[in-house]
Amino acid sequence: MLNARDITVRKALEADLRFQALHDTLTGLANRTMFTQQTASALRTSDRIESVGALFIDLDDFKTVNDSLGHGTGDELLCRVAERLGTTLRPHDTLARLGGDEFAILLPRSNKRNGVRRAEELDRKLNNAYAAWNDQQIPIKASCGVHMYAANAEMRELLQAADEAMYKIKQERRAKLGITGR
């Protein structure tokens, strides 16, 4: 028979497991699973006058940071980017680390103008920042894409379109610098 203390401990363990299942272990942000759940919910509950948007953020040249400065530096950079992104959220937005150097922000109750403005603001905020690590200032370089959808959109389409918008921006920047490849 379980006593009150055993039940309390069990509930705490269950809450910890739920948190671990829905959050990125490095940054503490929502993970892909939670982002998917939040997106599905936002798309289900949005009405005709609201739209749902997604910002897709990818760090540029992140592999170079890991390869030249080490994975500890790369992890620190990811954490600093997560913190910086977190300062831009509204109470009902969801910020997630999707994996690797990819982040996404769900923008429920938004519109296209606001989504584009937020993407431009993030672009400036990230690309004019540095992460401090072992007495070094590592420049943050990122590309940000946005896509907005009205009610009844497919979740996969929303994130895929935001990802495509981000890669278009990344390719345009690389072309300006004369860099080829993805």
Side-chain angles (χ1 to χ4, degrees):
M1 176 105 10
L2 294 175
N3 62 33
R5 184 179 177 337
D6 293 338
I7 292 171
T8 302
V9 169
R10 183 177 176 176
K11 287 185 184 271
L13 288 172
E14 289 172 355
D16 188 49
L17 285 174
R18 269 192 307 278
F19 183 87
Q20 289 178 34
L22 297 174
H23 292 83
D24 175 61
T25 57
L26 178 65
T27 62
L29 297 178
N31 63 16
R32 183 178 291 272
T33 300
M34 185 177 198
F35 188 81
T36 300
Q37 292 172 358
Q38 295 292 323
T39 302
S41 176
L43 290 172
R44 262 193 322 275
T45 60
S46 65
D47 61 29
R48 283 176 244 206
I49 60 170
E50 293 180 331
S51 23
V52 176
L55 294 171
F56 195 94
I57 302 106
D58 182 79
L59 300 184
D60 299 337
D61 300 321
F62 182 70
K63 184 178 181 334
T64 303
V65 171
N66 271 342
D67 291 349
S68 64
L69 300 173
H71 290 277
T73 305
D75 287 351
E76 185 65 23
L77 180 63
L78 291 170
C79 290
R80 296 298 71 82
V81 168
E83 288 173 4
R84 197 165 276 280
L85 291 171
T87 65
T88 68
L89 299 179
R90 302 172 302 177
H92 48 276
D93 293 344
T94 300
L95 169 60
R97 178 175 173 221
L98 301 181
D101 63 341
E102 296 177 340
F103 297 85
I105 301 175
L106 177 66
L107 303 173
R109 299 183 294 216
S110 198
N111 59 49
K112 186 173 183 172
R113 188 180 73 205
N114 183 47
V116 169
R117 183 187 58 74
R118 300 272 309 274
E120 290 170 346
E121 174 187 318
L122 279 177
D123 186 76
R124 280 189 307 276
K125 193 170 209 165
L126 289 174
N127 287 297
N128 291 310
Y130 293 84
W133 178 253
N134 288 342
D135 298 325
Q136 295 182 53
Q137 292 293 321
I138 302 156
I140 298 173
K141 298 295 176 202
S143 297
C144 182
V146 62
H147 192 75
M148 304 301 296
Y149 259 112
N152 301 320
E154 290 290 326
M155 179 177 48
R156 180 180 35 83
E157 295 171 16
L158 177 65
L159 196 54
Q160 182 177 350
D163 184 29
E164 289 169 3
M166 180 275 305
Y167 269 108
K168 181 179 178 188
I169 289 167
K170 185 181 289 267
Q171 289 171 339
E172 288 171 0
R173 283 188 178 150
R174 292 174 72 91
K176 283 181 186 176
L177 297 173
I179 301 170
T180 59
R182 194 169 192 191

